[in-house]
Amino acid sequence: MISIKEYVAPKTLDEALKVLESSKKATIIGGGAFLKLGSINISKAIDLSKLNLDFIKEYDNKIEIGAMATFGDIERSKVLKKYFNNALGLSVKDIVGVQLRNMVTVGATVYSRYGFSDILTCLLSLDTKVSLKKQGEISLEKFLIEGSNKKDILEKIIISKDGRKASFKSMRNSKGDYAILNLSVSKKDDTYLIAVGARPNRATLAYETIKYLKGKHIDETVIKKACEIIEDEITFGSNIRANKEYRKGLSKVLLKRALTEVVNYEN
Amino acid sequence: MKINLKINGEKKVFDVSADEYLADTLRKNGYLSVRKGCDTGSCGACTVHFDGKAILSCVMLSLRADGHEITTIEGVTKKAEKIGKYLVDEGVDQCGYCSPGTIMSILYLEKCIENPTDEEILHFMNGNLCRCTGYVGQLRAIKKYLEGKK
Amino acid sequence: MKVVNNPISKVDGMGLVTGKPAYTDDLASSNSLIVKVLRSPHAFAKIISIDTSIAEKIPGIECILTYKDVLRKPFTRAGQCYPELSAYDKFLLDEYVRHVGDDVAIIAGTSEKIVDKAMKLIKVEYKKLDPVLDYLSAEDSETIVHPEDDIYTNIDVGFNKDKNIACEVNFSVGNLEETFKKCEKVITKTYKTQAQSQAMMETQRTYTYLDIQGRLVVVTSTQIPFHVRRILSHCLDIPRRKIRVIKPRIGGGFGSKQTAHSEFYPALVTLKTKKPAKIIYSRKDVFRGTTSRHSMKFDIKIGSDSNGLIKAIDMKGLSDTGAYGEHAQTTIGAAGKKVLTLYNKVDAVRFSGKAMYTNRVPGGALRGFGVTQGTYALEATINELAKELSIDPIKIREMNMIKKGETTPLYNMTTKDASDDPMYMDSCQLEYCVSRGKELIKWDEKYPKIKVSDKRVRGVGMAIAQQGSGLPNIDMASASLKLNDDGFFTLMTGATDLGTGSDTILAQIAAETLKIDVGSINVYASDTDITPYDSGAYASSTTYTSGNAVINAAENMKKLLIKYGAKYFNTKETNIDILDNYIINKDNNKRISLKEFSNKMIYDYPHMQLLTTGSYVPKKAAPPYMAGFAEVEVDLETGKVTVLDYVGIVDCGMVINPKLARIQIEGGIMQGIGYSLYEDVKYNEYGRLMNDTFMQYKIPSRKDAKNIRVEFAKGFDKTGPYGAKSIGEVVINTVAPAITDALYNACGVRIRALPITPEKVFLKLNNK
């Protein structure tokens, strides 16, 4: 059960930040779709929907996605379809249903660092920065590890348009369920970025695997070795959807599939 | 707190509390087609259109709807009856509890995609759960409806 | 035949799909008090103290009730005919809580917010007790789930609360030991099933008020209005004549509403405050506070000759009935009775079943009702026997299954008050079901598997099943027909349409008998004040049992029409015929329309209301049969199983309404796919539910549905209404064993516990 005393929809980011800092129990409301799962008392709910943060903008060297852009916006975005082999669009498309995707926002997902998230894993395999009102730009990698230092508002995320090829893979049992595991691979020049999420903990980069693959020509032997590395380096856990042994095994399958796909995109 | 909305084309002012959800506000004010099945945005029975987009009213705070347009099935009776006939003809009306939400999703589907494939229909409708029909009959009905429009 | 065997649309269909107000919450008055239940956070505890004083002071709180405020009188919430086979082991509220979600206090106030606030302010001190969480070891547990002495059973069902045994069911034929000795092949296998949630879209909900005479009116989403009236009368200690139960449209049941749940709380509040009250269960309330499908474990031993002729079956079943014994005896019983009867060539057969109390959410009715669990275990074992003997699974069915005109003494043994006369299965079309399904799935091309690639392989598997059609000599249905002026009829029936379309089907049956068009019949159903008795919508009884009652009512109406028609035409009764809404004098071919006739009856001569009633109780088992065929694709790397195609051929006798029956099959198969692959009500080590929302508990979604193909066998059962048997439940039973074998045939992995998750398959694939 949640209870909210007061609800404000500020017209500017500064105003929003002011409200946020005014009370300990002031909270930003993103899409609001997962609000009901918690049991919290909110003194002031801050609605960012009046701040025009629902954009997806393309620049010469980057793409900016506003905090209030929904998964539906991402799935339908013509801009995002052009880049990273549409990995971002594909990473959100299996999430429950179209109505929920029309509500769930990128900002809330990133800021909350949900473990079950699919898009976070995909974003982590790209060169993504998080832009916070107070703390400025932080790499998503760092933000996922450390979170926000202080009460802050996530304004947008910024993705480098660096010509990466990317492939996102997830494994779910029922098609309407959360992922048991997800994994995303991107490649730029001779460097791979590999992120694993829904472990069930939040997404992380597979540093050792990335190191191993750098500059390698991908063949069966290399994939086999990479799979051995990834299952060793990533910490997997158990939850209602699966045990860690299965996730471990899955990580190899998804890595193989994503790597193969990225290589195919290159050719 | 007061909110101003346009529901089914009519301007309305409702008094809502800060932690009230749109599905409850709508039901309280007589829009009884809006059904609650899960309370967690998981079943689609509460689907309404928000500025033309399908959303789940059971997980949307009513205050967020301030200044926006909401459409429930009560506002699209003619269209709903047309689709409804196909559902009933196929026998997939069954308990009917999820049907208004399903029809709202079908209306959103046809607005978004012209001549959808089976895959696209299933993808678009995946957020509407139904325990009675097993879905395959609903797919038949939706296809016949879309075919019949041509 | 004109009206029957026609795909008529549901009479309420258009209203329902376009969102017209029709369900319980739509009908509740806006000034109803909001009622909620405070539920136990512990699996097993004794309430040491409970303080409601602060909560009661909140403005708008009308009443808070705890076990100290309500009558202590044991009863069962199970919707069964009196005397029930379920133990009287539940109290309105008790000082013990026996599962997470068990009821602790009832709170009523003027708004949901106020009630939520009050709920948080009730202080309960619990003494936590060691819970019994594993039904497999419940018998020897130190913990007794029901330590109280005032609970009892009405009928001897082997109830032994000191050993946590809710009931036992045992029956056997022949000399088992001797027969096994003679068998050339004997296999023993163990299969386990999980708890499944009914997951109907509309949760339990009830609205109560006092009518002008001070009687309690209960508008409720139920499958059992008449049982609800009797149960409420018993536990609230008020006469039945002071209670009226009305079932409006309901958003699905699947057995969830065959147990009374949400009725007690607003009823208590209304009786206490004299105000209207309503309770709307949240999905969490449903998971924690109602029932789910009984988990069961079966040890099955089968003996055959080397050709696969089955000689002996020994089936031991254990069931988890959770904290209360609702439907415990009947489900574990059905797991034997309506399963073992499939194989009638045996020389010896034995069933021993036991249901155990645990501190989990009670087991309850769910489509298939034990038969689903039992069929899964037996059919999966028979598929294993076929494999071990290198016989095609279809061949072993053809050799051993019951066929048209055959019988088994088990039918007599397991049918209440049955005579010694053999019950022949004259209408059994299993042979056709199997051969047609084999053809449709292209068994000979696909069995056992087709390799798609190194990573993907497809396999096929099959199973057969039956169910009952009502409960012979137990469940009774009745219906009344009234001829109104202007020539239309009101069909009043106690039968309870859950959305399945039974109102429509019963109207079709009445129209067929009266030889009138179906539009001339209005159905009014499920109101204990007005409609005649019906035991309710369960045990696949409505079309068969209630349908026969409707025929009887209609035949009686016909007699009256003939009698008064003869008077009108001043002729002999044998000269009168009724056809196409006319009464005809065959003697001179003169005719009068029912419209004109009824207007004369009412306004002219003889100033008389024609009203007839018919009742029916089944006398004989009339099982529907089904053969189910699954084609699955297995991802050999991830272990994921996808059902590509499911073929179901059903013998439900004459199909009254092919359109609605078809959807029953498709929906049942999909529910079976959920049971086989996804659904599992899980508990943690403290007995807390881990997936008590639809966010975590996943029923199949639309994208999980690939191809489902269904057909009917041309059947006719002479005891059924126009030859019909039941359909609602049989349709779920073949799915799990067929998928289990299809998986094995695809890749050699045999999973003996549901659900078949990718994880289980993956682990076996990698540890072969």
PDB file of all heavy atoms in Angstrom, chain A residues 37 94 173-176 178 240-243 246 256-257, chain C residues 116 635 637-638 640 677 682 695-696 698 703-704 758-759:
ATOM      1  N   LEU A  37       3.771  -1.734  -6.071  1.00  0.00           N
ATOM      2  CA  LEU A  37       4.424  -2.922  -5.522  1.00  0.00           C
ATOM      3  C   LEU A  37       5.022  -2.634  -4.161  1.00  0.00           C
ATOM      4  O   LEU A  37       5.175  -3.510  -3.322  1.00  0.00           O
ATOM      5  CB  LEU A  37       5.524  -3.408  -6.464  1.00  0.00           C
ATOM      6  CG  LEU A  37       5.019  -4.018  -7.762  1.00  0.00           C
ATOM      7  CD1 LEU A  37       6.171  -4.604  -8.540  1.00  0.00           C
ATOM      8  CD2 LEU A  37       3.980  -5.089  -7.496  1.00  0.00           C
ATOM      9  N   ASP A  94       9.443  -7.086 -25.440  1.00  0.00           N
ATOM     10  CA  ASP A  94       8.812  -8.247 -24.807  1.00  0.00           C
ATOM     11  C   ASP A  94       8.294  -7.952 -23.396  1.00  0.00           C
ATOM     12  O   ASP A  94       7.895  -8.859 -22.670  1.00  0.00           O
ATOM     13  CB  ASP A  94       9.790  -9.426 -24.757  1.00  0.00           C
ATOM     14  CG  ASP A  94       9.948 -10.062 -26.134  1.00  0.00           C
ATOM     15  OD1 ASP A  94       8.977  -9.998 -26.916  1.00  0.00           O
ATOM     16  OD2 ASP A  94      11.030 -10.579 -26.424  1.00  0.00           O
ATOM     17  N   ASN A 173      10.375 -17.413 -19.677  1.00  0.00           N
ATOM     18  CA  ASN A 173       9.595 -18.638 -19.840  1.00  0.00           C
ATOM     19  C   ASN A 173       8.290 -18.279 -20.528  1.00  0.00           C
ATOM     20  O   ASN A 173       8.197 -18.297 -21.743  1.00  0.00           O
ATOM     21  CB  ASN A 173       9.405 -19.339 -18.494  1.00  0.00           C
ATOM     22  CG  ASN A 173       8.833 -20.738 -18.667  1.00  0.00           C
ATOM     23  OD1 ASN A 173       8.733 -21.233 -19.778  1.00  0.00           O
ATOM     24  ND2 ASN A 173       8.451 -21.380 -17.584  1.00  0.00           N
ATOM     25  N   SER A 174       7.255 -17.859 -19.782  1.00  0.00           N
ATOM     26  CA  SER A 174       6.054 -17.342 -20.434  1.00  0.00           C
ATOM     27  C   SER A 174       6.425 -16.014 -21.084  1.00  0.00           C
ATOM     28  O   SER A 174       7.235 -15.259 -20.558  1.00  0.00           O
ATOM     29  CB  SER A 174       4.947 -17.127 -19.403  1.00  0.00           C
ATOM     30  OG  SER A 174       4.009 -16.209 -19.903  1.00  0.00           O
ATOM     31  N   LYS A 175       5.815 -15.740 -22.241  1.00  0.00           N
ATOM     32  CA  LYS A 175       6.163 -14.530 -22.991  1.00  0.00           C
ATOM     33  C   LYS A 175       5.783 -13.248 -22.266  1.00  0.00           C
ATOM     34  O   LYS A 175       6.250 -12.179 -22.611  1.00  0.00           O
ATOM     35  CB  LYS A 175       5.498 -14.564 -24.371  1.00  0.00           C
ATOM     36  CG  LYS A 175       6.074 -15.615 -25.304  1.00  0.00           C
ATOM     37  CD  LYS A 175       7.287 -15.076 -26.032  1.00  0.00           C
ATOM     38  CE  LYS A 175       8.072 -16.121 -26.812  1.00  0.00           C
ATOM     39  NZ  LYS A 175       7.271 -16.874 -27.776  1.00  0.00           N
ATOM     40  N   GLY A 176       4.926 -13.368 -21.275  1.00  0.00           N
ATOM     41  CA  GLY A 176       4.545 -12.157 -20.549  1.00  0.00           C
ATOM     42  C   GLY A 176       5.333 -11.969 -19.269  1.00  0.00           C
ATOM     43  O   GLY A 176       5.056 -11.080 -18.468  1.00  0.00           O
ATOM     44  N   TYR A 178       8.922 -11.698 -16.734  1.00  0.00           N
ATOM     45  CA  TYR A 178      10.218 -11.025 -16.715  1.00  0.00           C
ATOM     46  C   TYR A 178      11.281 -11.990 -17.210  1.00  0.00           C
ATOM     47  O   TYR A 178      11.095 -13.206 -17.205  1.00  0.00           O
ATOM     48  CB  TYR A 178      10.570 -10.594 -15.292  1.00  0.00           C
ATOM     49  CG  TYR A 178       9.666  -9.530 -14.780  1.00  0.00           C
ATOM     50  CD1 TYR A 178       8.540  -9.854 -14.045  1.00  0.00           C
ATOM     51  CD2 TYR A 178       9.925  -8.191 -15.064  1.00  0.00           C
ATOM     52  CE1 TYR A 178       7.682  -8.876 -13.592  1.00  0.00           C
ATOM     53  CE2 TYR A 178       9.070  -7.203 -14.610  1.00  0.00           C
ATOM     54  CZ  TYR A 178       7.949  -7.549 -13.878  1.00  0.00           C
ATOM     55  OH  TYR A 178       7.110  -6.584 -13.446  1.00  0.00           O
ATOM     56  N   ILE A 240      12.770 -16.520  -7.662  1.00  0.00           N
ATOM     57  CA  ILE A 240      11.605 -17.334  -7.996  1.00  0.00           C
ATOM     58  C   ILE A 240      11.652 -17.858  -9.441  1.00  0.00           C
ATOM     59  O   ILE A 240      11.104 -18.900  -9.753  1.00  0.00           O
ATOM     60  CB  ILE A 240      10.333 -16.504  -7.731  1.00  0.00           C
ATOM     61  CG1 ILE A 240       9.100 -17.365  -7.856  1.00  0.00           C
ATOM     62  CG2 ILE A 240      10.245 -15.308  -8.640  1.00  0.00           C
ATOM     63  CD1 ILE A 240       7.876 -16.685  -7.329  1.00  0.00           C
ATOM     64  N   ARG A 241      12.328 -17.145 -10.321  1.00  0.00           N
ATOM     65  CA  ARG A 241      12.326 -17.533 -11.739  1.00  0.00           C
ATOM     66  C   ARG A 241      13.328 -18.630 -12.071  1.00  0.00           C
ATOM     67  O   ARG A 241      13.114 -19.414 -12.981  1.00  0.00           O
ATOM     68  CB  ARG A 241      12.577 -16.313 -12.614  1.00  0.00           C
ATOM     69  CG  ARG A 241      11.380 -15.421 -12.603  1.00  0.00           C
ATOM     70  CD  ARG A 241      11.372 -14.319 -13.593  1.00  0.00           C
ATOM     71  NE  ARG A 241      10.041 -13.753 -13.501  1.00  0.00           N
ATOM     72  CZ  ARG A 241       9.619 -13.047 -12.460  1.00  0.00           C
ATOM     73  NH1 ARG A 241      10.441 -12.776 -11.467  1.00  0.00           N
ATOM     74  NH2 ARG A 241       8.384 -12.608 -12.401  1.00  0.00           N
ATOM     75  N   ALA A 242      14.448 -18.647 -11.364  1.00  0.00           N
ATOM     76  CA  ALA A 242      15.452 -19.679 -11.651  1.00  0.00           C
ATOM     77  C   ALA A 242      16.546 -19.666 -10.595  1.00  0.00           C
ATOM     78  O   ALA A 242      16.701 -18.684  -9.853  1.00  0.00           O
ATOM     79  CB  ALA A 242      16.069 -19.453 -13.021  1.00  0.00           C
ATOM     80  N   ASN A 243      17.309 -20.746 -10.567  1.00  0.00           N
ATOM     81  CA  ASN A 243      18.474 -20.816  -9.685  1.00  0.00           C
ATOM     82  C   ASN A 243      19.716 -20.350 -10.422  1.00  0.00           C
ATOM     83  O   ASN A 243      19.730 -20.250 -11.641  1.00  0.00           O
ATOM     84  CB  ASN A 243      18.661 -22.253  -9.196  1.00  0.00           C
ATOM     85  CG  ASN A 243      17.561 -22.632  -8.236  1.00  0.00           C
ATOM     86  OD1 ASN A 243      17.255 -21.905  -7.300  1.00  0.00           O
ATOM     87  ND2 ASN A 243      16.927 -23.765  -8.509  1.00  0.00           N
ATOM     88  N   TYR A 246      21.290 -22.380 -13.353  1.00  0.00           N
ATOM     89  CA  TYR A 246      20.660 -22.232 -14.665  1.00  0.00           C
ATOM     90  C   TYR A 246      21.072 -20.918 -15.314  1.00  0.00           C
ATOM     91  O   TYR A 246      21.380 -20.856 -16.507  1.00  0.00           O
ATOM     92  CB  TYR A 246      19.136 -22.316 -14.534  1.00  0.00           C
ATOM     93  CG  TYR A 246      18.410 -22.213 -15.863  1.00  0.00           C
ATOM     94  CD1 TYR A 246      18.789 -23.001 -16.941  1.00  0.00           C
ATOM     95  CD2 TYR A 246      17.348 -21.331 -16.036  1.00  0.00           C
ATOM     96  CE1 TYR A 246      18.132 -22.911 -18.166  1.00  0.00           C
ATOM     97  CE2 TYR A 246      16.691 -21.237 -17.246  1.00  0.00           C
ATOM     98  CZ  TYR A 246      17.082 -22.025 -18.314  1.00  0.00           C
ATOM     99  OH  TYR A 246      16.435 -21.931 -19.523  1.00  0.00           O
ATOM    100  N   LYS A 256      26.852 -16.601 -26.640  1.00  0.00           N
ATOM    101  CA  LYS A 256      27.165 -17.190 -27.938  1.00  0.00           C
ATOM    102  C   LYS A 256      26.238 -16.624 -29.017  1.00  0.00           C
ATOM    103  O   LYS A 256      26.675 -16.222 -30.090  1.00  0.00           O
ATOM    104  CB  LYS A 256      27.014 -18.713 -27.856  1.00  0.00           C
ATOM    105  CG  LYS A 256      27.460 -19.436 -29.101  1.00  0.00           C
ATOM    106  CD  LYS A 256      27.512 -20.932 -28.891  1.00  0.00           C
ATOM    107  CE  LYS A 256      26.132 -21.532 -28.986  1.00  0.00           C
ATOM    108  NZ  LYS A 256      26.109 -22.987 -28.868  1.00  0.00           N
ATOM    109  N   ARG A 257      24.955 -16.569 -28.681  1.00  0.00           N
ATOM    110  CA  ARG A 257      23.984 -16.091 -29.672  1.00  0.00           C
ATOM    111  C   ARG A 257      24.196 -14.623 -30.005  1.00  0.00           C
ATOM    112  O   ARG A 257      24.115 -14.210 -31.159  1.00  0.00           O
ATOM    113  CB  ARG A 257      22.565 -16.328 -29.163  1.00  0.00           C
ATOM    114  CG  ARG A 257      22.213 -17.797 -29.172  1.00  0.00           C
ATOM    115  CD  ARG A 257      20.833 -18.066 -28.650  1.00  0.00           C
ATOM    116  NE  ARG A 257      20.588 -19.507 -28.659  1.00  0.00           N
ATOM    117  CZ  ARG A 257      19.451 -20.073 -28.272  1.00  0.00           C
ATOM    118  NH1 ARG A 257      18.448 -19.327 -27.843  1.00  0.00           N
ATOM    119  NH2 ARG A 257      19.320 -21.379 -28.309  1.00  0.00           N
TER     120      ARG A 257
ATOM    121  N   ASP C 116      -7.995   1.061   5.127  1.00  0.00           N
ATOM    122  CA  ASP C 116      -6.560   0.754   5.048  1.00  0.00           C
ATOM    123  C   ASP C 116      -5.810   1.314   6.252  1.00  0.00           C
ATOM    124  O   ASP C 116      -4.939   0.663   6.823  1.00  0.00           O
ATOM    125  CB  ASP C 116      -5.955   1.342   3.759  1.00  0.00           C
ATOM    126  CG  ASP C 116      -6.360   0.557   2.525  1.00  0.00           C
ATOM    127  OD1 ASP C 116      -6.815  -0.596   2.680  1.00  0.00           O
ATOM    128  OD2 ASP C 116      -6.225   1.099   1.413  1.00  0.00           O
ATOM    129  N   ASP C 635      14.220 -26.041 -27.311  1.00  0.00           N
ATOM    130  CA  ASP C 635      15.480 -25.353 -27.546  1.00  0.00           C
ATOM    131  C   ASP C 635      16.529 -26.109 -26.734  1.00  0.00           C
ATOM    132  O   ASP C 635      16.543 -26.038 -25.503  1.00  0.00           O
ATOM    133  CB  ASP C 635      15.347 -23.896 -27.088  1.00  0.00           C
ATOM    134  CG  ASP C 635      16.611 -23.089 -27.326  1.00  0.00           C
ATOM    135  OD1 ASP C 635      17.709 -23.673 -27.265  1.00  0.00           O
ATOM    136  OD2 ASP C 635      16.494 -21.871 -27.559  1.00  0.00           O
ATOM    137  N   GLU C 637      19.525 -25.707 -26.225  1.00  0.00           N
ATOM    138  CA  GLU C 637      20.524 -24.931 -25.502  1.00  0.00           C
ATOM    139  C   GLU C 637      19.959 -24.303 -24.227  1.00  0.00           C
ATOM    140  O   GLU C 637      20.621 -24.265 -23.198  1.00  0.00           O
ATOM    141  CB  GLU C 637      21.081 -23.832 -26.399  1.00  0.00           C
ATOM    142  CG  GLU C 637      21.943 -24.387 -27.520  1.00  0.00           C
ATOM    143  CD  GLU C 637      22.560 -23.287 -28.351  1.00  0.00           C
ATOM    144  OE1 GLU C 637      21.816 -22.364 -28.747  1.00  0.00           O
ATOM    145  OE2 GLU C 637      23.762 -23.332 -28.611  1.00  0.00           O
ATOM    146  N   THR C 638      18.722 -23.795 -24.305  1.00  0.00           N
ATOM    147  CA  THR C 638      18.150 -23.126 -23.130  1.00  0.00           C
ATOM    148  C   THR C 638      17.190 -24.022 -22.354  1.00  0.00           C
ATOM    149  O   THR C 638      16.844 -23.728 -21.227  1.00  0.00           O
ATOM    150  CB  THR C 638      17.348 -21.871 -23.540  1.00  0.00           C
ATOM    151  OG1 THR C 638      16.249 -22.285 -24.363  1.00  0.00           O
ATOM    152  CG2 THR C 638      18.207 -20.877 -24.294  1.00  0.00           C
ATOM    153  N   LYS C 640      14.125 -24.435 -23.208  1.00  0.00           N
ATOM    154  CA  LYS C 640      12.760 -23.913 -23.319  1.00  0.00           C
ATOM    155  C   LYS C 640      11.888 -24.804 -24.200  1.00  0.00           C
ATOM    156  O   LYS C 640      12.295 -25.232 -25.278  1.00  0.00           O
ATOM    157  CB  LYS C 640      12.785 -22.494 -23.885  1.00  0.00           C
ATOM    158  CG  LYS C 640      11.405 -21.948 -24.152  1.00  0.00           C
ATOM    159  CD  LYS C 640      11.295 -20.464 -23.920  1.00  0.00           C
ATOM    160  CE  LYS C 640       9.943 -19.936 -24.378  1.00  0.00           C
ATOM    161  NZ  LYS C 640       8.853 -20.259 -23.474  1.00  0.00           N
ATOM    162  N   LEU C 677       3.651 -25.726 -18.055  1.00  0.00           N
ATOM    163  CA  LEU C 677       4.925 -25.057 -18.330  1.00  0.00           C
ATOM    164  C   LEU C 677       5.258 -23.861 -17.431  1.00  0.00           C
ATOM    165  O   LEU C 677       6.429 -23.568 -17.222  1.00  0.00           O
ATOM    166  CB  LEU C 677       4.951 -24.573 -19.785  1.00  0.00           C
ATOM    167  CG  LEU C 677       4.807 -25.634 -20.879  1.00  0.00           C
ATOM    168  CD1 LEU C 677       4.851 -24.967 -22.250  1.00  0.00           C
ATOM    169  CD2 LEU C 677       5.895 -26.693 -20.775  1.00  0.00           C
ATOM    170  N   LYS C 682       4.240 -20.538  -5.403  1.00  0.00           N
ATOM    171  CA  LYS C 682       5.437 -20.902  -4.645  1.00  0.00           C
ATOM    172  C   LYS C 682       5.439 -20.296  -3.241  1.00  0.00           C
ATOM    173  O   LYS C 682       4.944 -19.189  -3.034  1.00  0.00           O
ATOM    174  CB  LYS C 682       6.680 -20.416  -5.389  1.00  0.00           C
ATOM    175  CG  LYS C 682       6.986 -21.223  -6.635  1.00  0.00           C
ATOM    176  CD  LYS C 682       8.355 -20.851  -7.158  1.00  0.00           C
ATOM    177  CE  LYS C 682       8.766 -21.821  -8.255  1.00  0.00           C
ATOM    178  NZ  LYS C 682      10.066 -21.480  -8.813  1.00  0.00           N
ATOM    179  N   MET C 695       1.952 -10.020 -11.464  1.00  0.00           N
ATOM    180  CA  MET C 695       3.247  -9.566 -11.921  1.00  0.00           C
ATOM    181  C   MET C 695       4.262 -10.703 -11.767  1.00  0.00           C
ATOM    182  O   MET C 695       5.198 -10.825 -12.534  1.00  0.00           O
ATOM    183  CB  MET C 695       3.667  -8.371 -11.087  1.00  0.00           C
ATOM    184  CG  MET C 695       4.522  -7.393 -11.826  1.00  0.00           C
ATOM    185  SD  MET C 695       4.543  -5.875 -10.914  1.00  0.00           S
ATOM    186  CE  MET C 695       4.250  -4.710 -12.208  1.00  0.00           C
ATOM    187  N   GLN C 696       4.044 -11.507 -10.747  1.00  0.00           N
ATOM    188  CA  GLN C 696       4.983 -12.597 -10.467  1.00  0.00           C
ATOM    189  C   GLN C 696       4.428 -13.958 -10.871  1.00  0.00           C
ATOM    190  O   GLN C 696       5.173 -14.827 -11.284  1.00  0.00           O
ATOM    191  CB  GLN C 696       5.343 -12.617  -8.972  1.00  0.00           C
ATOM    192  CG  GLN C 696       5.934 -11.325  -8.452  1.00  0.00           C
ATOM    193  CD  GLN C 696       7.283 -11.003  -9.053  1.00  0.00           C
ATOM    194  OE1 GLN C 696       7.872 -11.796  -9.756  1.00  0.00           O
ATOM    195  NE2 GLN C 696       7.783  -9.793  -8.790  1.00  0.00           N
ATOM    196  N   LYS C 698       2.607 -16.004 -13.415  1.00  0.00           N
ATOM    197  CA  LYS C 698       2.302 -15.761 -14.825  1.00  0.00           C
ATOM    198  C   LYS C 698       1.405 -16.838 -15.413  1.00  0.00           C
ATOM    199  O   LYS C 698       1.787 -18.001 -15.501  1.00  0.00           O
ATOM    200  CB  LYS C 698       3.609 -15.692 -15.619  1.00  0.00           C
ATOM    201  CG  LYS C 698       4.385 -14.402 -15.351  1.00  0.00           C
ATOM    202  CD  LYS C 698       3.607 -13.183 -15.828  1.00  0.00           C
ATOM    203  CE  LYS C 698       4.285 -11.885 -15.413  1.00  0.00           C
ATOM    204  NZ  LYS C 698       3.487 -10.710 -15.790  1.00  0.00           N
ATOM    205  N   LYS C 703       0.937 -14.464 -26.549  1.00  0.00           N
ATOM    206  CA  LYS C 703       2.066 -14.873 -27.379  1.00  0.00           C
ATOM    207  C   LYS C 703       2.504 -16.303 -27.084  1.00  0.00           C
ATOM    208  O   LYS C 703       3.310 -16.875 -27.811  1.00  0.00           O
ATOM    209  CB  LYS C 703       3.244 -13.933 -27.147  1.00  0.00           C
ATOM    210  CG  LYS C 703       3.154 -12.627 -27.890  1.00  0.00           C
ATOM    211  CD  LYS C 703       4.558 -12.048 -27.941  1.00  0.00           C
ATOM    212  CE  LYS C 703       4.608 -10.574 -28.029  1.00  0.00           C
ATOM    213  NZ  LYS C 703       5.947 -10.081 -27.725  1.00  0.00           N
ATOM    214  N   ASP C 704       2.025 -16.846 -25.968  1.00  0.00           N
ATOM    215  CA  ASP C 704       2.350 -18.239 -25.664  1.00  0.00           C
ATOM    216  C   ASP C 704       1.442 -19.199 -26.423  1.00  0.00           C
ATOM    217  O   ASP C 704       1.679 -20.402 -26.435  1.00  0.00           O
ATOM    218  CB  ASP C 704       2.211 -18.507 -24.161  1.00  0.00           C
ATOM    219  CG  ASP C 704       3.204 -17.689 -23.354  1.00  0.00           C
ATOM    220  OD1 ASP C 704       4.388 -17.682 -23.723  1.00  0.00           O
ATOM    221  OD2 ASP C 704       2.811 -17.054 -22.357  1.00  0.00           O
ATOM    222  N   PRO C 758      12.098 -24.386 -18.168  1.00  0.00           N
ATOM    223  CA  PRO C 758      13.322 -24.528 -18.973  1.00  0.00           C
ATOM    224  C   PRO C 758      14.506 -24.941 -18.093  1.00  0.00           C
ATOM    225  O   PRO C 758      15.378 -25.667 -18.542  1.00  0.00           O
ATOM    226  CB  PRO C 758      13.528 -23.142 -19.575  1.00  0.00           C
ATOM    227  CG  PRO C 758      12.406 -22.287 -19.149  1.00  0.00           C
ATOM    228  CD  PRO C 758      11.457 -23.081 -18.345  1.00  0.00           C
ATOM    229  N   GLU C 759      14.488 -24.490 -16.863  1.00  0.00           N
ATOM    230  CA  GLU C 759      15.593 -24.829 -15.963  1.00  0.00           C
ATOM    231  C   GLU C 759      15.681 -26.346 -15.744  1.00  0.00           C
ATOM    232  O   GLU C 759      16.760 -26.936 -15.810  1.00  0.00           O
ATOM    233  CB  GLU C 759      15.384 -24.116 -14.623  1.00  0.00           C
ATOM    234  CG  GLU C 759      16.431 -24.467 -13.584  1.00  0.00           C
ATOM    235  CD  GLU C 759      16.402 -23.540 -12.388  1.00  0.00           C
ATOM    236  OE1 GLU C 759      15.420 -22.792 -12.232  1.00  0.00           O
ATOM    237  OE2 GLU C 759      17.372 -23.560 -11.625  1.00  0.00           O
TER     238      GLU C 759
END
